Amino acid sequence: MKELDINLLEKSMGYKFNNINYLETALTHSSYANESKIPISSNERLEFLGDAVLSIVVSDYIFSQCPDFPEGDLTKLRASLVCEKSLCKFSRSLDVGSFLKLSHGEKTSDGAKRPSILADAFEAIIAAIYLDGGMKKAKEFILKFVVPDIKDPKLKTFKDYKTQLQEIIQQNHEESLKYILTNQTGPDHDKRFWIEVSLNNNIIGKGKGKSKKEAEQHAAKEALELMGY
């Protein structure tokens, strides 16, 4: 691979490596390493590390940015953001496929376009940045891709239930939506809250949670399901 190619990829990534060998390894598929006449490392170990770094960065971000989401919704959101489809999309935005080192067989079978190979390479690149520049740089790189997906208004999965419900109701200005606390139990360190959401004084959803916000989310979710969303 030519050095110019590496420089072009670094520019697209927005990160300049101190040790370019990390990036070289991240772009080396196991098929190429196995075919090489001299011992070289593939990106498989970097992929393992990158997966872990990606998970902690995304988990930390959505935990702080989505305070109303219960554990189950946080898990679903994280899974959507770190799935093969998303990672492949991120990889293609950098044209990573054009820089991959693949065996002759993988090249002729369009391995550079294969979603699994592109997703694995993206995780390997994350690890390369982490090893070269630390967690801060890896986090900056990851969030450049993840944040737009979370904030994309077309992706209903990434919007909290209260916001979804409010936007639907606001289409008719005569409608009145209210959240009502109906019960709370338990000591201060382990409370449970029950919330009802009403539309024009008609109850359309109920929810409970460890906080009022979590209970409201569950109530809004039930209301959306009742309305067919």
Side-chain angles (χ1 to χ4, degrees):
M1 186 174 297
K2 298 179 181 178
E3 185 176 353
L4 177 62
D5 292 340
I6 287 287
N7 291 336
L8 287 172
L9 181 56
E10 285 182 307
K11 186 175 181 180
S12 297
M13 292 166 53
Y15 180 79
K16 182 70 176 177
F17 278 83
N18 298 301
N19 184 349
I20 200 66
N21 290 329
Y22 286 128
L23 182 56
E24 289 274 10
T25 302
L27 297 170
T28 302
H29 189 253
S30 58
S31 64
Y32 183 91
N34 293 335
E35 199 174 74
S36 175
K37 294 180 180 179
I38 59 173
I40 58 174
S41 298
S42 74
N43 62 8
E44 289 181 337
R45 282 173 54 84
L46 288 180
E47 175 200 338
F48 166 79
L49 179 59
D51 177 69
V53 174
L54 175 65
S55 182
I56 188 62
V57 169
V58 172
S59 297
D60 178 68
Y61 182 81
I62 63 176
F63 180 83
S64 62
Q65 295 297 313
C66 307
D68 296 344
F69 276 34
E71 178 190 1
D73 290 337
L74 288 172
T75 300
K76 291 176 184 177
L77 177 54
R78 180 180 62 191
S80 297
L81 294 168
V82 302
C83 68
E84 181 181 289
K85 181 179 179 180
S86 293
L87 300 183
C88 177
K89 179 182 70 172
F90 300 157
S91 201
R92 282 176 174 153
S93 72
L94 296 172
D95 194 25
V96 168
S98 297
F99 300 90
L100 289 175
K101 293 180 179 180
L102 302 167
S103 67
H104 177 72
E106 285 292 353
K107 285 182 180 178
T108 55
S109 62
D110 282 336
K113 296 179 181 179
R114 192 171 302 149
S116 60
I117 290 179
L118 290 173
D120 291 347
F122 190 81
E123 289 182 329
I125 289 172
I126 290 172
I129 295 174
Y130 170 75
L131 292 171
D132 188 73
M135 179 60 86
K136 181 179 179 181
K137 292 298 182 180
K139 181 177 180 179
E140 290 174 357
F141 175 74
I142 292 168
L143 292 184
K144 282 194 301 185
F145 297 92
V146 171
V147 173
D149 265 10
I150 294 176
K151 295 184 176 180
D152 188 341
K154 291 180 293 184
L155 300 177
K156 188 169 67 173
T157 305
F158 301 147
K159 297 169 68 177
D160 67 86
Y161 299 117
K162 282 186 66 178
T163 298
Q164 285 180 240
L165 183 59
Q166 186 66 36
E167 289 178 353
I168 293 169
I169 300 304
Q170 283 179 341
Q171 295 175 12
N172 188 337
H173 298 293
E174 297 179 358
E175 306 285 1
S176 175
L177 193 67
K178 292 181 181 180
Y179 290 88
I180 305 163
L181 175 65
T182 59
N183 191 22
Q184 63 180 36
T185 61
D188 289 341
H189 68 279
D190 190 27
K191 280 189 175 296
R192 293 293 185 275
F193 298 87
W194 280 259
I195 294 286
E196 293 180 349
V197 58
S198 66
L199 179 63
N200 301 328
N201 296 319
N202 296 312
I203 297 172
I204 58 173
K206 297 180 180 181
K208 65 178 180 179
K210 296 180 180 180
S211 68
K212 291 180 182 178
K213 289 184 177 180
E214 183 178 333
E216 288 172 351
Q217 284 289 332
H218 286 302
K221 180 180 180 181
E222 185 175 280
L224 286 166
E225 291 172 350
L226 177 68
M227 298 166 67
Y229 288 92

